[in-house]
Amino acid sequence: MGGETITNCKINISPVFMKNTIHLLCFLLFSITAFGQSPASGIAIIPQPVSIIKDTGHFILPKSVVIQAANSPELAHTVAFLRERLSEPTGYRVISVTSSSNPTIKLQLNTQSDARLGTEGYSLSVTASHVVIKANKAAGLFYGVQSFIQLFPEEIESKVQVNRSNWTIPVAEIIDYPKLGWRGLMFDVARHFFTKDEVKQYIDVMARYKYNLLHLHLTDDEGWRIEIKGLPKLTEVGAWRVNRTGTFGNFIPATPDEPRDYGGYYTQEDIKELIKYAKDRFVDIMPEIDVPGHSLAAVASYPDLSCTPEAINYKPRFGEQIMDWSGGAPPKALIDNTLCPANEKVYSFMDTVITQIAQLFPFEYIHLGGDEAPINYWQSNDQVKALMVREGMKDIKDVQGYFTKRVEKIVESKGKKMMAWDEVLEGGVSQSTAVMSWRGMKYGIEAAHNKHQVVMSPTTYAYLDYMQSDVISEPRVYASLRLNKSYEFEPVPDGVDPQYIKGGQGNLWTEQIYNIRQAEYMTWPRGFAIAESVWSPKAKKNWPHFFARVESHFKRFDLAETKYAPSVYDPIFKATKTADNRLKIELSTEVPGLSIHYSFDNSFPDKFYPKYTTPLTAPVDASQFKLITYKDGKPVGRMLTMPISELKARARF
Ligand code: ACM
């Protein structure tokens, strides 16, 4: 059974009730859950734990809380976090000690390893009088604390004191450990720059959902975001661009004297601070230097890195069109945004960059990009043609393979492993390079069959830059990915040897994301779905049950002042043309239990307006279809305005 993981439904009940009655009650609890009401047990942990045994009774948080934990640097943040969460909203006194005869909450590292829990698992035992969290390693205690906090009422997330008569959680025993070791989110800080504090804010939230890997996309056409000593222009020139706002991709050309003062970069000290901040929350940071394509910021800084002489006039991109995708992949570059694979200076540049990246980042992998490298400039370049003759290369695709293999050698010479986007499989790459599968799952499957380590981050389930509902209510991006589709993400496909699948990851590209609030909006709630896909056992996944928990976490985010998208409440439109040339509109929803109220008369509907039940025929003169979604008598969706002209275009009028 998917859904709520109550492996053993214990209910204290008068002996006159038959055992069958108890079973019936358990069944009813499960049934309510399965229909998407609030989780039957009141437990709404994301990601869903491996096992929850709920008993009767409650633990009531005392007004003076004693946390017992060893005085160790790797536990310091976990204890500080727990103290803050338990004191800030409650106003209670919360102290931590290294030993106590009667602690309220005990965080305990196992002296004898519990084989079930591995390095990140935990057990959480809540009795009526106290709480014990045990783990083999500090990471497990951190995750146990996250689950413990999620057992409390949503107000536990409040930043200000909340008046409640008490703070209780159900008595329960939880055993939990992750399905996969790589549970990642990629944050593109190149297209738009996000400050060190904003990256910390992003880490704070992801760590709470048991993500353990932040992939920082540090370089792209729009910006180079990391200080490299000896290459000052990367950050003097490459980190700054023209500031434009609106719909990225088609901005009008910049004027020659337009200020290029929008952007920023991280100093090496900033990077060390971020790595430490992430590590305290059991998150590793993997850097990405995206080469040989997506390199306009580097080329604008050091035009010698290009095969194209006009590169001396190049500037970091600000959102104007530089690629023509009309012929499919690889794109045709309108300006040459590649590093020149036939230029030895490029390899000494890469050596300098990778040496410093390898020294700065303790994580074992460095991501070297490899995606979407255009070949049209290489095809007509004499240096590249000479390289092909010299190396006996027949196909232009082999040129990227040549580049990748040389970069791979540099990475390995620094004691690191290389990871790259799945395009690198095309030019050939050695088995030690790990592949990040983004163009669907198929390249990841192919790579795993060829014994590469693989991280699945497919557009189909995990692209967090895609729209979350209809284009009328979301910033326009070329594709959409609804929450229920993200929730279908299964990083370990059938028929693939799981030892080659390191894990899964959501990718947040930021061309259209101008600020941290929007970064949060795009990440959540799909980040919940991906977290559950990489942490929870496949058999425990259950969409209605998940969504009931998501709604509890929406309330948590409201109180924590973290943004999320309410797009899941937006209806799905289907427009068709009837035989008598009228517009037929059909609506559906991702989640059960919603009622949609609408108008065609340009006024704003509420729950007293007609409720959608069957397909509608638009009145002949209507120009707008306005809608709002209610659940349990309360508005949950946004007020949407769908132009009739848009529906007619979709119906091919
Ligand atoms: C990618 O989305 N170009 C990896």
Side-chain angles (χ1 to χ4, degrees):
M1 196 201 82
E4 189 126 346
T5 321
I6 305 177
T7 51
N8 179 7
C9 185
K10 289 196 205 166
I11 298 177
N12 272 347
I13 204 157
S14 139
V16 294
F17 276 83
M18 306 280 291
K19 202 173 159 198
N20 286 353
T21 316
I22 297 175
H23 283 153
L24 178 67
L25 279 170
C26 287
F27 172 77
L28 286 174
L29 284 177
F30 291 145
S31 310
I32 293 166
T33 295
F35 282 96
Q37 305 305 310
S38 66
S41 61
I43 295 179
I45 296 173
I46 296 177
Q48 179 71 17
V50 170
S51 153
I52 302 174
I53 301 174
K54 184 174 178 284
D55 213 329
T56 51
H58 284 88
F59 164 84
I60 303 173
L61 192 70
K63 290 196 163 58
S64 178
V65 178
V66 177
I67 301 167
Q68 183 188 320
N71 186 8
S72 122
E74 53 173 7
L75 288 185
H77 169 72
T78 305
V79 173
F81 169 83
L82 185 55
R83 285 184 64 175
E84 182 189 286
R85 253 332 77 230
L86 293 182
S87 59
E88 206 170 63
T90 62
Y92 291 179
R93 181 168 174 269
V94 184
I95 59 161
S96 57
V97 296
T98 51
S99 78
S100 160
S101 56
N102 190 19
T104 328
I105 302 160
K106 195 162 154 187
L107 305 186
Q108 191 177 319
L109 279 174
N110 292 326
T111 42
Q112 268 202 312
S113 178
D114 179 338
R116 295 170 304 175
L117 304 183
T119 54
E120 296 182 293
Y122 63 91
S123 64
L124 166 58
S125 169
V126 181
T127 67
S129 57
H130 59 270
V131 174
V132 180
I133 304 175
K134 292 187 193 167
N136 297 331
K137 300 277 180 203
L141 292 182
F142 178 72
Y143 296 137
V145 163
Q146 299 313 319
S147 293
F148 171 55
I149 291 297
Q150 290 187 23
L151 290 174
F152 279 94
E154 285 119 4
E155 289 86 349
I156 202 74
E157 301 297 344
S158 177
K159 288 176 180 289
V160 293
Q161 201 170 315
V162 178
N163 279 331
R164 281 183 69 97
S165 54
N166 59 35
W167 296 82
T168 65
I169 64 174
V171 166
E173 296 284 333
I174 298 180
I175 302 286
D176 198 14
Y177 44 84
K179 172 168 135 179
L180 294 164
W182 184 297
R183 303 183 302 279
L185 288 179
M186 188 216 70
F187 193 8
D188 170 7
V189 292
R191 269 49 180 276
H192 280 95
F193 179 63
F194 292 84
T195 64
K196 186 174 61 178
D197 285 342
E198 288 168 340
V199 176
K200 287 181 180 174
Q201 187 176 326
Y202 199 75
I203 292 169
D204 276 337
V205 189
M206 65 183 277
R208 300 201 54 194
Y209 291 91
K210 306 186 175 92
Y211 283 102
N212 64 358
L213 191 284
L214 176 68
H215 167 173
L216 275 186
H217 182 76
L218 286 165
T219 72
D220 214 300
D221 297 321
E222 294 79 359
W224 182 284
R225 305 294 178 205
I226 181 166
E227 175 194 20
I228 300 294
K229 298 202 195 291
L231 294 168
K233 288 196 178 158
L234 286 175
T235 42
E236 285 166 13
V237 175
W240 306 100
R241 64 175 173 86
V242 164
N243 186 10
R244 284 286 160 78
T245 302
T247 305
F248 201 89
N250 291 308
F251 288 142
I252 54 171
T255 55
D257 55 353
E258 206 168 337
R260 294 174 192 282
D261 55 3
Y262 179 75
Y265 66 92
Y266 311 111
T267 64
Q268 296 201 352
E269 289 310 306
D270 290 337
I271 291 288
K272 287 179 195 159
E273 190 180 320
L274 281 176
I275 291 168
K276 162 88 172 68
Y277 190 88
K279 196 73 203 159
D280 284 346
R281 289 151 183 79
F282 302 92
V283 171
D284 286 314
I285 301 187
M286 175 175 69
E288 180 186 353
I289 304 296
D290 197 353
V291 287
H294 287 278
S295 292
L296 186 59
V299 166
S301 310
Y302 291 100
D304 276 6
L305 300 173
S306 175
C307 299
T308 301
E310 299 86 78
I312 50 168
N313 298 319
Y314 288 173
K315 301 281 186 289
R317 182 183 180 223
F318 58 88
E320 73 283 29
Q321 197 194 357
I322 63 165
M323 290 288 154
D324 175 4
W325 283 94
S326 57
K332 181 168 175 276
L334 306 177
I335 63 171
D336 184 4
N337 70 338
T338 65
L339 301 186
C340 184
N343 181 351
E344 282 309 307
K345 280 188 189 157
V346 163
Y347 300 102
S348 66
F349 167 83
M350 289 308 296
D351 194 288
T352 305
V353 171
I354 293 169
T355 302
Q356 293 183 37
I357 295 282
Q359 280 164 359
L360 269 175
F361 290 88
F363 192 58
E364 62 178 327
Y365 283 96
I366 301 177
H367 198 303
L368 270 302
D371 58 320
E372 300 176 321
I375 49 173
N376 54 305
Y377 277 92
W378 295 353
Q379 274 166 325
S380 55
N381 179 268
D382 288 343
Q383 273 174 281
V384 176
K385 285 185 200 161
L387 173 75
M388 289 181 75
V389 171
R390 205 166 60 238
E391 296 290 326
M393 293 187 257
K394 298 268 176 299
D395 189 331
I396 192 78
K397 281 201 184 120
D398 297 337
V399 174
Q400 187 170 344
Y402 169 84
F403 174 87
T404 308
K405 283 184 206 118
R406 287 201 56 181
V407 169
E408 190 177 50
K409 279 210 180 71
I410 300 172
V411 172
E412 282 170 4
S413 74
K414 313 298 170 201
K416 296 286 183 179
K417 295 184 198 160
M418 176 157 131
M419 183 167 286
W421 299 111
D422 58 49
E423 284 96 328
V424 295
L425 293 167
E426 286 161 26
V429 70
S430 73
Q431 219 175 55
S432 62
T433 286
V435 172
M436 196 166 260
S437 187
W438 74 276
R439 294 175 299 168
M441 306 277 287
K442 68 173 189 256
Y443 295 102
I445 294 172
E446 179 190 316
H449 286 325
N450 290 324
K451 301 189 170 19
H452 288 276
Q453 288 292 307
V454 170
V455 173
M456 292 290 191
S457 61
T459 51
T460 23
Y461 304 105
Y463 261 43
L464 300 174
D465 59 325
Y466 283 12
M467 296 179 294
Q468 303 179 71
S469 64
D470 199 278
V471 66
I472 61 154
S473 52
E474 301 289 339
R476 180 182 286 276
V477 182
Y478 50 89
S480 12
L481 174 63
R482 282 191 172 253
L483 178 64
N484 60 350
K485 184 73 180 169
S486 265
Y487 193 63
E488 287 170 19
F489 184 29
E490 175 40 58
V492 188
D494 291 340
V496 170
D497 185 344
Q499 68 169 304
Y500 294 110
I501 308 294
K502 295 185 84 61
Q505 180 173 297
N507 292 338
L508 184 68
W509 301 103
T510 61
E511 287 96 326
Q512 281 289 4
I513 299 175
Y514 290 75
N515 60 65
I516 187 69
R517 296 294 287 173
Q518 183 66 5
E520 291 177 345
Y521 173 98
M522 296 303 284
T523 304
W524 313 106
R526 289 178 298 190
F528 299 147
I530 296 167
E532 192 142 312
S533 301
V534 291
W535 178 283
S536 307
K538 191 174 172 181
K540 301 289 181 201
K541 286 180 76 182
N542 173 305
W543 166 251
H545 185 266
F546 168 71
F547 188 66
R549 284 178 283 127
V550 167
E551 289 193 299
S552 157
H553 286 252
F554 281 170
K555 291 188 195 131
R556 287 173 183 267
F557 271 32
D558 285 337
L559 290 153
E561 301 180 340
T562 303
K563 202 165 189 192
Y564 59 89
S567 320
V568 65
Y569 297 116
D570 290 349
I572 299 160
F573 297 87
K574 184 172 169 213
T576 44
K577 186 154 66 165
T578 62
D580 58 347
N581 217 25
R582 300 284 300 274
L583 174 65
K584 183 174 158 196
I585 306 171
E586 288 168 82
L587 302 175
S588 55
T589 58
E590 262 182 272
V591 287
L594 303 183
S595 55
I596 306 166
H597 298 269
Y598 65 88
S599 78
F600 284 107
D601 62 9
N602 304 339
S603 64
F604 296 103
D606 59 20
K607 67 179 173 186
F608 302 99
Y609 274 59
K611 176 176 160 180
Y612 177 85
T613 49
T614 52
L616 303 170
T617 305
V620 281
D621 288 322
S623 63
Q624 289 186 345
F625 180 41
K626 280 188 156 63
L627 317 88
I628 187 158
T629 310
Y630 278 69
K631 187 172 181 197
D632 302 330
K634 295 202 184 68
V636 283
R638 296 171 284 203
M639 180 68 69
L640 302 183
T641 300
M642 170 62 90
I644 294 293
S645 55
E646 169 70 21
L647 289 175
K648 284 191 166 167
R650 293 182 194 185
R652 299 191 196 290
F653 266 71

